[in-house]
Each structure stands twice: as C-alpha cells, then as structure tokens.
Amino acid sequence: MDSLLCDEVWLSSPATPDHHNQPRYSHGENYAAASSFYTTKEDCEKAVSIYLEKEFTCMPEPGYVEHLRTKNLLFARLRAIQWLIKSRERLSLSFETVFNAANYLDRFMSMNQCHGWKCWMVELLCVACLSVASKFTETRTPCLHDIQMEDLDHSFQPITIQRMELVLLRALGWRLGSTTAYSYVELLMMEIDFLKSYSYLQKDLVACRITELLLGAMQDCSMVGFRPSITAISALWCSLEEFVPSKSDAHLAHIKGLLNALDHKDDVVIKCHGIMEAQLINPVYNLLACGKKHSYCCPSSPVTVLPTERIGIYDCDVDLSFFNDSGSNNKQETSKKKRKWHEKSIKDDGFQKRIK
C-alpha cells in the first residue's frame, strides 16, 4: 500500500467544520476560531513555509490569462467559477472545497491551451473538479447526480464524469493539496496582534469578510496571476480597513511586517490591493474585466424561472483524447518556469511604473 501513496506534503487548511451540527454565519460557514488547527507560533511558521514553497506549483501555467483572452474563454471561466461558488452553497460544501476546485480548473485549462474549448467541455471539467475536490476535502461527498443538478446547459453520465476525473488527476499529477489564497486566512489573522483580543464571533466575522473578498477575487481573471499569499494579504488589508478604519496606520505597519516575513514586495501587494478595492467600489468590475457589458444573471422576466431542458451528453459521444495527458511530467521544471515568469512580470510592472 505504501507504494500507492504520493510524496506530497500538505497541511489542513483553516478548520473545516461539520456543517450539519454547527450554526452558520452570513456566508454559510462557521470558521471555528476556538479550535484552531495551528496551536503554536512554530506551527504557524512551519505552515507558512510549506505553503509558500508549494504555491508556485499550484498556480496556472504562464500565459494563462492571455490564452483566456485570445480564445474568448474569459466569460466561460467566470461562469464556471460562479457555478462552483453557487454549488458550494447548494451542496453545503466547505470553502476549502470550492477554492481547490477552482484551482484545479485553472491549472487544467492552462495546461490545455492548444485546443478549442466548447461549452460542454468547460461544464464537464467543472463537474469533475468539484467532484474531485469534494472527495479530497469533505467527509460526506455529494453524488454526481446532485452535483450537476442545477445551472448547467448539459448533463453527463456518471461514467463520463469519472473518465474526466481520471484525466484531470493525471494532468495535475495527482497533487490535490493545493495552496490557495484561502489556505492563508487563519495564518494571517493570527499574525495581527490586535485581533488576538477579539472574541471568537468577531474573528469569525473578519474571516468571513476575508473569504468573501477572496471569492470575488477568484472570479476576476486579472487576479489569477498573483501568488495566493499576495491575494490573501490584500484581502486581509481590505477587511481591516472596513472593520477598524481608525487603525489604518497600524494596518499598514502589520501588512509591511507580513510582507517582510513572506519576502514579498510592496508594489505587487499594492497593485493587488488596488484591484480588490476596485471590486468593492464597482460590483460589476469582474464582468467588465471579462469584456462583457452585461452580467451573467437572469433578468427579472417570469420566463427565466422556468427550467430549461438540458442537453444530454452520452459517454459514447465524448472523446477526451484531445486533452493533454502530460501534466504530471517535469513538475520541478514547471515550478521553476512559473517562478521565473512571476519574477519577470514583477520587474516589468515596476519598470513600467518608473516610466510613468
């Protein structure tokens, strides 16, 4: 049996509660601040070190956003992420599950940049990502029928979804313990001194707001290129400005301390923070960023509440051979390329700012 286990190093993300026995807050999850997974400062430092080392391997391939733009897939991705978020609420899944599912989707789509994506392909991938993520994270997983119950234009046979799951797993190299921005929520909150005096309910409210911002950032294609740790710090920054605006100077000091601890540069976090603030000011920011003038929402017409008949996709009609099956090869080389590409993009941004 030992030979079947991968050598992946992973940690549990912020405490995942039992949804059936605990009260819910505004966004559907109790963060259980009283039972933190990280009990000592050494635990936090070790967790941060592991997450920072892993996050490059959990990011999409370089040029992913440009691929989405050139292939007109920006809106398809936005719709896919929105479906994942809505399915989490419908199926009572944890936030960790939906962040992992979105991460799998971006990583897989970035590995398959040479193929013409169709609507049913994206939907099949979405269902497979959510199914795999729930199996990895949840103690009670929904069946495939329940997962694809709502808001899809196509329906798939279980065997088709299972085949897609296998293709997905092979492409990801069977590495499912992704480091996402949500992985840092609890760790970063423990680093803010004045939050330690907050009650458990107050901490849960702050964590809930951070998660809401991260869900919004996940829908924005312009946020895909940022490291998860940078996105998480930006969400923490925005949340602190909302909850305790009187301590703005203290916020900045804490954020700079976190940047030094995580070896991040100020200008990158400031850029990410600016995008996140734009989301707060303009609710349709994500849709405008995708080049769409109208949101993906049903109008108020009574006709739209009627269920539409979905197109059934039979397994015999599905050919999955057009997906690359080489995602598990050269992991270390891919990670180095991502790191170099990210460092180059940071330098280019800084150079452009100096010119301006």
Side-chain angles (χ1 to χ4, degrees), residues 2-164:
D2 292 341
S3 62
L4 298 178
L5 300 177
C6 68
D7 58 354
E8 181 176 9
V9 178
W10 62 279
L11 290 171
S12 176
S13 73
T16 303
D18 186 342
H19 302 279
H20 298 274
N21 299 322
Q22 293 186 0
R24 292 172 176 268
Y25 289 102
S26 62
H27 218 63
E29 183 166 324
N30 181 355
Y31 289 84
S35 55
S36 173
F37 177 75
Y38 312 104
T39 56
T40 66
K41 185 176 181 180
E42 288 72 21
D43 289 339
C44 292
E45 292 176 350
K46 182 179 179 181
V48 170
S49 176
I50 293 176
Y51 284 146
L52 288 175
E53 186 171 347
K54 282 181 56 181
E55 67 178 10
F56 279 106
T57 64
C58 299
M59 293 180 65
E61 298 295 316
Y64 174 50
V65 176
E66 184 60 27
H67 165 69
L68 293 176
R69 289 196 178 99
T70 55
K71 301 299 182 180
N72 295 321
L73 290 173
L74 289 172
F75 192 59
R77 179 193 176 274
L78 173 63
R79 182 179 177 182
I81 299 298
Q82 290 177 338
W83 179 83
L84 290 174
I85 295 173
K86 189 172 182 179
S87 296
R88 186 208 70 82
E89 298 181 6
R90 175 171 56 86
L91 300 171
S92 296
L93 302 175
S94 67
F95 284 114
E96 182 182 4
T97 297
V98 72
F99 277 96
N100 279 340
N103 177 265
Y104 302 160
L105 181 133
D106 282 331
R107 285 162 62 189
F108 186 87
M109 290 187 71
S110 71
M111 293 175 185
N112 291 271
Q113 298 188 9
C114 299
H115 303 287
W117 285 84
K118 298 180 181 179
C119 179
W120 69 266
M121 297 179 188
V122 179
E123 290 190 353
L124 177 59
L125 176 60
C126 274
V127 174
C129 287
L130 188 59
S131 176
V132 170
S134 63
K135 291 174 183 176
F136 182 76
T137 308
E138 306 291 333
T139 55
R140 281 168 282 194
T141 59
C143 66
L144 296 177
H145 174 74
D146 291 341
I147 288 179
Q148 55 176 337
M149 183 68 73
E150 297 180 5
D151 302 314
L152 294 175
D153 296 330
H154 304 81
S155 61
F156 306 94
Q157 293 180 309
I159 188 173
T160 307
I161 301 173
Q162 292 166 353
R163 287 174 55 210
M164 187 67 221

Side-chain angles (χ1 to χ4, degrees), residues 278-296:
Q279 293 176 346
L280 297 176
I281 297 173
N282 186 357
V284 297
Y285 177 85
N286 293 332
L287 298 160
L288 294 176
C290 290
K292 295 289 182 179
K293 295 182 180 179
H294 305 288
S295 67
Y296 177 65

